[in-house]
Amino acid sequence: MFSRPVTFAGATKLNFKSYFFPVLLSSICGLQAQQISIIDFWTELPVDSVMAVSHQDTLFSNSNGVVDFGLFKIAERPVILKKQDYYPQTILYKNIKNGSVKLMPMESSAPIDVFSERPGNPLLMTPTHTTFIHASEIKEQGFNTLDKALAAQSGIFIKSYGGPGQIQSISARGMSAEQTQVFLDGIPVNSFQLGSADPGQYNLDQVESVEIYRGGNPRLGSGGTIGGAINLHSRVIPDTLDYSLKLRGETLNNQFADLTIGLPTGFLNHEFSLHYENGENEYTVKTGSEKISLTNRDFNNWNFRYRSSLPIASDLHTELMFYTYKFSGGSPASLKNERTEVTNNARISYDNNLTALHLSYQKQRYKLNLRAFLRNNWNEYIDPDSVIGNDIISGCHFNHETGLIGHGQFIISKRFLLNSGLEVSRQKAQSTAFGDKNRERYAFFLRGDYELPWQFLNDCTTQLYTGLRAESYADFGNAFLPGIGITFYASFIKVYLSGGKNFRAPTFNELYWQPGGNPGLKPEESINFEAGVEYGRSLRSFNFMLGLSAYSIRPKNQIRWIPLTSNISSPENILAVDSDGIEIEARLADVTKRFQMIANYNYGFAVKADSDLPDDPTIGKRLPFLPEENWSILLQTGTSGLQCGFVISGSSFRYTTYSNDPYDILPAYRTAGCWAGYEFTAYRQKITVRGGCENLFDKQYELTPGYPMPMRHFYFELHVTN
Amino acid sequence: MLKQKIFYILITAILIYGCKKDPNSPEPTPTQYGAYVLNEGNFGQSNGSISFFNLEKKEIENHIFEKVNGENPGDVVQSMTIIGDNGYIVVNGSDKIEVISMKTWKKVKTINSPAGSSPRHLLPVSETKAYITNLYTASVSVLNLETDEITSSINVGLNPDEMTSSGNKVFVANNGFGNDHTVSVIDITTDQVIKTIDVADNPTATFTDNNGDIHVLCTGRYPAWDNPDDTGSKGGIYLIDASTETVKDSLSLTGFPTRLVYDGETTGYFLRCSAVTSYSTETVDIITDTLVSGNFYSLSVHPESGDLYLFDALDYSQNGLLKIYSAEGIFQDSYETGIIPHKAIFLLSE
């Protein structure tokens, strides 16, 4: 379970800016020689002098870990790789992904206890509570959307405005959605106008893995990681022809379709991915004595993603991504009664796209990554039934951001790894609420990971971590964010302690919204502390893992809209919050995952710490909308193709106001779901059929006041892949 | 096996212990006479409520509607009119009027307003008829009080707000959210608009004084945010002769005045520039510009004592405060209410 410290494993994706560039490159690359890059399994650094034996040839990797086979036909032949202190490995050239092979060092095998986890996860080994979930695990656990999988993680809270296709936001550790940063392949995707990100806009089938960093991290900053950061990794572009077709239907009258095609052409690998969903969210809820069929919950969206990867040389890699997301659907008002549903006709539409290029250059002692990106977010809202004077209520907003993110990883010595990065972006917003505004952002970070040369105990390691992040915004100055931590690794236990500063930049709405926007706002700041322990052991054929972390976050200068007059509010740096909590994760699984139980629990207590009005009676009261407790338990079992699972989750009640009035609450809830699936092969295609039930006990509950979640419903899914 | 046991214990503990239980509080004993404080609640969140202020005991009980009826009154508790033994609570965002018994506080009936109408105020105009202004349909609904059914609709100006009656006429302030500047005059007998009177921009509040004249408060139009040269327009108080349906006096006001209440004698009060201002209803002149200073959301006046009930909405998301001042502007006491308190309806013993 606990590997030796892996400071940074750059499983980052490659991106570029033009549709046509890959085609141009593919014509150049057809003449490339056959090479493989050999890297250390844990450090992902190149391994030199590896002996590669293929047929009658014996070759050695160079200082960059590259073995060049020239033009020999080796695709079908086994290649044996050998080096002292590494386990030998036999591979088939045609099966090598991305041209690289990982060699497992012998020395690292002793303290490692593998608990059916994917080793070598691309986690930043920060001394904080981090979670890595592979997409295949998410699917094994029965989740069919990303947001549901995230909601089951401890310390993560999804605020949803209803069923599929409805607006969502994600937050961590009692902080707001604006204080939780979401990245797609390292590129920040939170709206800089609103501050939040909608996890529903990202499709599970396009994601390879999800990293959840709770608390601050100097490497991942970008405007607000006071609560945490979530990094979505796209799947590795396959270098063989492959496809995946998935169809899903729900009894809510919702339909979903995914088609992904991997298409290698020479040395250039392409991936085309299309996701389409359309639905009505037909369900009936009770309010008072009325039974109401909800309206205006329809949605129609599709996203298309094109990616291509190109190994220009063994140490230089590029990847291009173009992603577009279009949505149109209802923007329902909160549920009141049957009549108000008649005039519940507001509509919202989005048109977002992201174009990104990733260049990766790797040498034996350093690795450089450069990402260039361009993203456009457009949205429009219109409510034909709300007339003010002679005008209906409407709004239109366009956000545009271009940026460069450069990261470097340097091995200073055998025990000292340095990470640094520089980020530059220009943000521009055009809004019916405030006109045209723009700003520039610069950020720099340094992070050092140092392994202490002595051992407190036998067979243990202690790693120190220090970091500094500097953020500079043209419209409100600089922020310096230091961080420090220590991690102690022993054979079955990991103990960590960390602290640091973090911040969140004001959003464009907070700065400029008319009326009320406040251009004089400062960034929010926070101090975070965390301590945690993770313990894992195997017992016969079962693996057991238990993790416990305790955190404390002290944000200040938090932005809160304060009334200036009876009808105009303005944001001020006035709110202070004390947020403390514990997160517990437990997992029990047999080594083949025929049986698996996962339990997550968190207890958080976020209270208002300072007054924001004279004689403020709400000091010490709980923050609204945050449950004190939430938890989930997942059971999964199966054999030879047949799988089934059951998940139950719950939350304590949530106050909806700072007054903590017991009559203004969202009640506690428990919800359950179950599923069963069967996987088989036919005509050499892997076919999976799966059916399930969500909200099994037909309980009405809300995550946002006035927006009931779907009642009991069933789904059926067909997945065909090669 | 120890680890498995720990795991099972953990799971069992979560399932058994579950989550912290929802809070609750006991049902109150209804008391008929007192001040009913209306708390709007946040728009769209259906957290409006009604508080009862016991004038004798000087105690306030919040959420009386929920406690007695087991449900929330709805989205934006806008106004309440007592007719006979019943209270007609206009719930603006929920397009409905909840009728409660003033003796038991129990819900008697729900009157459904037309979908999307956004009812604001209800005014009885005869023993069998009441008018309801509809904010979003530029109309006034006619309610049959015998059947509690809406029978017809009268078209008025943009976004009609408060109304008041004098003789057989009703005067409706059409605020238009700053885009209208008229008062519609309705003949009660025919349910027809017989005249439209020009006043300043954004007429929102009205009352009828002891002389039968109509007082209309106009807030004025706020400046357009995207035009730095626009300064908006002035508001004011307009005195309308109900018999001739003409403006006979006015007082121009800057600072976007809001709310308007009447002590039943010769003084009117409104809010302006973070202060309570009093004026003479006889001469339409300011009596005291800053009678009480403070950023109040709304106000009411006790019909007998003349005490001012000032409502502080604080940050508009937490429970607000009822602050009671004497007619001379001297602070007496403060009580926690629901979210965005804005009006007190007095039911006094005979």
PDB file of all heavy atoms in Angstrom, chain B residues 40-55:
ATOM      1  N   GLU B  40     -39.983  37.717   5.145  1.00  0.00           N
ATOM      2  CA  GLU B  40     -40.012  37.350   3.722  1.00  0.00           C
ATOM      3  C   GLU B  40     -39.308  36.032   3.446  1.00  0.00           C
ATOM      4  O   GLU B  40     -39.767  35.199   2.693  1.00  0.00           O
ATOM      5  CB  GLU B  40     -39.325  38.431   2.872  1.00  0.00           C
ATOM      6  CG  GLU B  40     -40.126  39.695   2.710  1.00  0.00           C
ATOM      7  CD  GLU B  40     -39.405  40.685   1.804  1.00  0.00           C
ATOM      8  OE1 GLU B  40     -38.413  40.291   1.145  1.00  0.00           O
ATOM      9  OE2 GLU B  40     -39.833  41.850   1.760  1.00  0.00           O
ATOM     10  N   GLY B  41     -38.164  35.857   4.058  1.00  0.00           N
ATOM     11  CA  GLY B  41     -37.300  34.739   3.677  1.00  0.00           C
ATOM     12  C   GLY B  41     -36.569  35.094   2.398  1.00  0.00           C
ATOM     13  O   GLY B  41     -36.831  36.119   1.765  1.00  0.00           O
ATOM     14  N   ASN B  42     -35.632  34.244   2.025  1.00  0.00           N
ATOM     15  CA  ASN B  42     -34.842  34.498   0.810  1.00  0.00           C
ATOM     16  C   ASN B  42     -35.615  34.087  -0.428  1.00  0.00           C
ATOM     17  O   ASN B  42     -36.207  33.007  -0.458  1.00  0.00           O
ATOM     18  CB  ASN B  42     -33.522  33.732   0.869  1.00  0.00           C
ATOM     19  CG  ASN B  42     -32.676  34.154   2.039  1.00  0.00           C
ATOM     20  OD1 ASN B  42     -32.424  33.375   2.955  1.00  0.00           O
ATOM     21  ND2 ASN B  42     -32.270  35.404   2.050  1.00  0.00           N
ATOM     22  N   PHE B  43     -35.561  34.917  -1.422  1.00  0.00           N
ATOM     23  CA  PHE B  43     -36.284  34.631  -2.659  1.00  0.00           C
ATOM     24  C   PHE B  43     -35.811  33.291  -3.247  1.00  0.00           C
ATOM     25  O   PHE B  43     -34.620  33.047  -3.406  1.00  0.00           O
ATOM     26  CB  PHE B  43     -36.043  35.751  -3.675  1.00  0.00           C
ATOM     27  CG  PHE B  43     -36.711  35.500  -4.994  1.00  0.00           C
ATOM     28  CD1 PHE B  43     -38.090  35.595  -5.102  1.00  0.00           C
ATOM     29  CD2 PHE B  43     -35.968  35.142  -6.102  1.00  0.00           C
ATOM     30  CE1 PHE B  43     -38.711  35.350  -6.309  1.00  0.00           C
ATOM     31  CE2 PHE B  43     -36.591  34.895  -7.312  1.00  0.00           C
ATOM     32  CZ  PHE B  43     -37.962  34.998  -7.423  1.00  0.00           C
ATOM     33  N   GLY B  44     -36.777  32.454  -3.525  1.00  0.00           N
ATOM     34  CA  GLY B  44     -36.470  31.170  -4.154  1.00  0.00           C
ATOM     35  C   GLY B  44     -36.165  30.056  -3.178  1.00  0.00           C
ATOM     36  O   GLY B  44     -36.029  28.909  -3.572  1.00  0.00           O
ATOM     37  N   GLN B  45     -36.024  30.372  -1.895  1.00  0.00           N
ATOM     38  CA  GLN B  45     -35.624  29.318  -0.953  1.00  0.00           C
ATOM     39  C   GLN B  45     -36.755  28.826  -0.056  1.00  0.00           C
ATOM     40  O   GLN B  45     -36.529  27.968   0.803  1.00  0.00           O
ATOM     41  CB  GLN B  45     -34.454  29.795  -0.086  1.00  0.00           C
ATOM     42  CG  GLN B  45     -33.197  29.969  -0.901  1.00  0.00           C
ATOM     43  CD  GLN B  45     -31.967  30.121  -0.025  1.00  0.00           C
ATOM     44  OE1 GLN B  45     -31.952  29.733   1.131  1.00  0.00           O
ATOM     45  NE2 GLN B  45     -30.930  30.704  -0.578  1.00  0.00           N
ATOM     46  N   SER B  46     -37.933  29.375  -0.243  1.00  0.00           N
ATOM     47  CA  SER B  46     -39.097  28.937   0.543  1.00  0.00           C
ATOM     48  C   SER B  46     -38.797  28.890   2.033  1.00  0.00           C
ATOM     49  O   SER B  46     -39.151  27.938   2.724  1.00  0.00           O
ATOM     50  CB  SER B  46     -39.566  27.554   0.065  1.00  0.00           C
ATOM     51  OG  SER B  46     -40.037  27.640  -1.254  1.00  0.00           O
ATOM     52  N   ASN B  47     -38.137  29.912   2.540  1.00  0.00           N
ATOM     53  CA  ASN B  47     -37.879  29.948   3.982  1.00  0.00           C
ATOM     54  C   ASN B  47     -38.493  31.179   4.636  1.00  0.00           C
ATOM     55  O   ASN B  47     -38.018  31.655   5.655  1.00  0.00           O
ATOM     56  CB  ASN B  47     -36.380  29.822   4.284  1.00  0.00           C
ATOM     57  CG  ASN B  47     -35.562  30.912   3.620  1.00  0.00           C
ATOM     58  OD1 ASN B  47     -36.115  31.835   3.033  1.00  0.00           O
ATOM     59  ND2 ASN B  47     -34.249  30.815   3.702  1.00  0.00           N
ATOM     60  N   GLY B  48     -39.582  31.669   4.037  1.00  0.00           N
ATOM     61  CA  GLY B  48     -40.352  32.725   4.680  1.00  0.00           C
ATOM     62  C   GLY B  48     -41.012  32.170   5.931  1.00  0.00           C
ATOM     63  O   GLY B  48     -41.211  30.961   6.059  1.00  0.00           O
ATOM     64  N   SER B  49     -41.344  33.054   6.840  1.00  0.00           N
ATOM     65  CA  SER B  49     -41.954  32.582   8.087  1.00  0.00           C
ATOM     66  C   SER B  49     -42.764  33.697   8.717  1.00  0.00           C
ATOM     67  O   SER B  49     -42.719  34.859   8.276  1.00  0.00           O
ATOM     68  CB  SER B  49     -40.877  32.084   9.054  1.00  0.00           C
ATOM     69  OG  SER B  49     -40.047  33.155   9.437  1.00  0.00           O
ATOM     70  N   ILE B  50     -43.498  33.334   9.749  1.00  0.00           N
ATOM     71  CA  ILE B  50     -44.286  34.316  10.510  1.00  0.00           C
ATOM     72  C   ILE B  50     -43.904  34.185  11.978  1.00  0.00           C
ATOM     73  O   ILE B  50     -43.839  33.076  12.517  1.00  0.00           O
ATOM     74  CB  ILE B  50     -45.786  34.077  10.320  1.00  0.00           C
ATOM     75  CG1 ILE B  50     -46.159  34.236   8.835  1.00  0.00           C
ATOM     76  CG2 ILE B  50     -46.606  35.050  11.160  1.00  0.00           C
ATOM     77  CD1 ILE B  50     -47.537  33.757   8.497  1.00  0.00           C
ATOM     78  N   SER B  51     -43.634  35.324  12.590  1.00  0.00           N
ATOM     79  CA  SER B  51     -43.330  35.348  14.025  1.00  0.00           C
ATOM     80  C   SER B  51     -44.502  36.007  14.745  1.00  0.00           C
ATOM     81  O   SER B  51     -45.194  36.849  14.166  1.00  0.00           O
ATOM     82  CB  SER B  51     -42.056  36.151  14.298  1.00  0.00           C
ATOM     83  OG  SER B  51     -40.982  35.677  13.531  1.00  0.00           O
ATOM     84  N   PHE B  52     -44.712  35.617  15.960  1.00  0.00           N
ATOM     85  CA  PHE B  52     -45.778  36.249  16.753  1.00  0.00           C
ATOM     86  C   PHE B  52     -45.142  36.970  17.932  1.00  0.00           C
ATOM     87  O   PHE B  52     -44.438  36.362  18.737  1.00  0.00           O
ATOM     88  CB  PHE B  52     -46.772  35.201  17.261  1.00  0.00           C
ATOM     89  CG  PHE B  52     -47.859  35.807  18.100  1.00  0.00           C
ATOM     90  CD1 PHE B  52     -48.883  36.529  17.505  1.00  0.00           C
ATOM     91  CD2 PHE B  52     -47.846  35.682  19.479  1.00  0.00           C
ATOM     92  CE1 PHE B  52     -49.883  37.114  18.290  1.00  0.00           C
ATOM     93  CE2 PHE B  52     -48.837  36.267  20.265  1.00  0.00           C
ATOM     94  CZ  PHE B  52     -49.860  36.984  19.661  1.00  0.00           C
ATOM     95  N   PHE B  53     -45.416  38.274  18.000  1.00  0.00           N
ATOM     96  CA  PHE B  53     -44.884  39.064  19.112  1.00  0.00           C
ATOM     97  C   PHE B  53     -46.014  39.324  20.107  1.00  0.00           C
ATOM     98  O   PHE B  53     -46.993  39.994  19.783  1.00  0.00           O
ATOM     99  CB  PHE B  53     -44.295  40.381  18.606  1.00  0.00           C
ATOM    100  CG  PHE B  53     -43.724  41.238  19.684  1.00  0.00           C
ATOM    101  CD1 PHE B  53     -42.665  40.792  20.465  1.00  0.00           C
ATOM    102  CD2 PHE B  53     -44.248  42.496  19.957  1.00  0.00           C
ATOM    103  CE1 PHE B  53     -42.134  41.578  21.479  1.00  0.00           C
ATOM    104  CE2 PHE B  53     -43.719  43.289  20.971  1.00  0.00           C
ATOM    105  CZ  PHE B  53     -42.667  42.827  21.728  1.00  0.00           C
ATOM    106  N   ASN B  54     -45.865  38.751  21.280  1.00  0.00           N
ATOM    107  CA  ASN B  54     -46.866  38.922  22.332  1.00  0.00           C
ATOM    108  C   ASN B  54     -46.660  40.290  22.971  1.00  0.00           C
ATOM    109  O   ASN B  54     -45.661  40.536  23.653  1.00  0.00           O
ATOM    110  CB  ASN B  54     -46.714  37.803  23.362  1.00  0.00           C
ATOM    111  CG  ASN B  54     -47.855  37.795  24.356  1.00  0.00           C
ATOM    112  OD1 ASN B  54     -48.243  38.846  24.878  1.00  0.00           O
ATOM    113  ND2 ASN B  54     -48.403  36.611  24.608  1.00  0.00           N
ATOM    114  N   LEU B  55     -47.621  41.167  22.732  1.00  0.00           N
ATOM    115  CA  LEU B  55     -47.450  42.556  23.164  1.00  0.00           C
ATOM    116  C   LEU B  55     -47.469  42.702  24.685  1.00  0.00           C
ATOM    117  O   LEU B  55     -46.862  43.619  25.235  1.00  0.00           O
ATOM    118  CB  LEU B  55     -48.565  43.419  22.556  1.00  0.00           C
ATOM    119  CG  LEU B  55     -48.518  43.541  21.023  1.00  0.00           C
ATOM    120  CD1 LEU B  55     -49.839  44.075  20.487  1.00  0.00           C
ATOM    121  CD2 LEU B  55     -47.379  44.440  20.590  1.00  0.00           C
TER     122      LEU B  55
END
